[in-house]
Amino acid sequence: MQVLHVQLEVGPDPAEVGRARRWARSRLAGSGIAADEPVAETLILLISELVTNAVVHTGCPAVLRMLLPGPPADEPGTDEPGTDEPGTVRVEVADRSARPPRPRHADGEDTNGRGLELVDGLADRWGWRHEGGGKSIWCEVDRCDAGTPADTFAGTTHKDFTGAPRQKFAGTNHQDIAYEAV
C-alpha cells in the first residue's frame, strides 16, 4: 500500500483552525477522497477538534500530520498504480505541551468540553503519546464499510516510518511513502 505523509505547521492563533481545514480538504482530495464522501467531513471535523484543542488549550504552535492511503486504482490523471484495498487515514496533532489530554464532559449549555468526546465517537481509534517535550494526539478513520477489514497503521506514528529501507511495517514498504511538509 502506498502512503502519503503530509504535514502543516499551525500557529498559536484560533484563526489557524480554518486554514488547517482548508489545507486538509485539499490533501484529502489529492489522495482520492472526494469532498462529498462521508469520511471526508468526518476527518475535517476531527482535524478541526484536534487543532482547536492544541491551539486553544496550549497557546503553542502545533503540527498537523496526515497519513493518507495512495490514490485509488485507475485514478484518472495519474501514472502511478493505485489500490482497491480499503485504507485508513491517520491524523496527528503534535504540540509543545507535555500535559496529557484531559477528556471532559460538557453539560447542557456548556460551550467547551466536547472535543475529545467527538473524537472518541467519530474515530475508529484514537490515543496520545509523548513526543519530544510535548505530545501528539492521533486518531484513525477506516475508509471502508463497517465489518470490512482495513489496512491500518496499527497504532503507528510518523516516526515509525523512519526505520531501515524496505522494512515492512503494517503492510507498508518504506519505498511506497511520499512525504510533504508545509
Side-chain angles (χ1 to χ4, degrees), residues 112-127:
N112 294 322
R114 292 178 178 84
L116 289 178
E117 283 184 323
L118 281 170
V119 171
D120 187 55
L122 294 174
D124 291 303
R125 288 162 298 286
W126 77 277

Side-chain angles (χ1 to χ4, degrees), residues 58-101:
T58 70
C60 300
V63 176
L64 166 62
R65 300 182 191 110
M66 294 172 41
L67 280 78
L68 302 157
D74 303 321
E75 175 82 7
T78 65
D79 294 331
E80 296 295 319
T83 180
D84 284 324
E85 299 171 22
T88 295
V89 177
R90 182 179 180 101
V91 173
E92 297 181 11
V93 176
D95 62 51
R96 295 182 189 162
S97 171
R99 286 190 328 240

Side-chain angles (χ1 to χ4, degrees), residues 8-21 23-24 43-65 91-95 119 137:
L8 173 72
E9 293 184 18
V10 180
D13 178 354
E16 289 281 272
V17 176
R19 184 173 74 91
R21 281 192 301 262
W23 176 85
L43 286 162
I44 295 302
L45 179 55
L46 290 166
I47 288 164
S48 185
E49 290 300 327
L50 292 178
V51 171
T52 297
N53 283 352
V55 169
V56 170
H57 295 295
T58 70
C60 300
V63 176
L64 166 62
R65 300 182 191 110
V91 173
E92 297 181 11
V93 176
D95 62 51
V119 171
I137 301 176

Side-chain angles (χ1 to χ4, degrees), residues 24-38:
R25 278 190 184 98
S26 71
R27 296 318 180 267
L28 290 172
S31 73
I33 299 175
D36 60 351
E37 282 187 57

Side-chain angles (χ1 to χ4, degrees), residues 49 102-115 117-118:
E49 290 300 327
R102 187 173 55 99
R104 298 183 303 174
H105 177 72
D107 291 321
E109 301 296 317
D110 290 348
T111 57
N112 294 322
R114 292 178 178 84
E117 283 184 323
L118 281 170

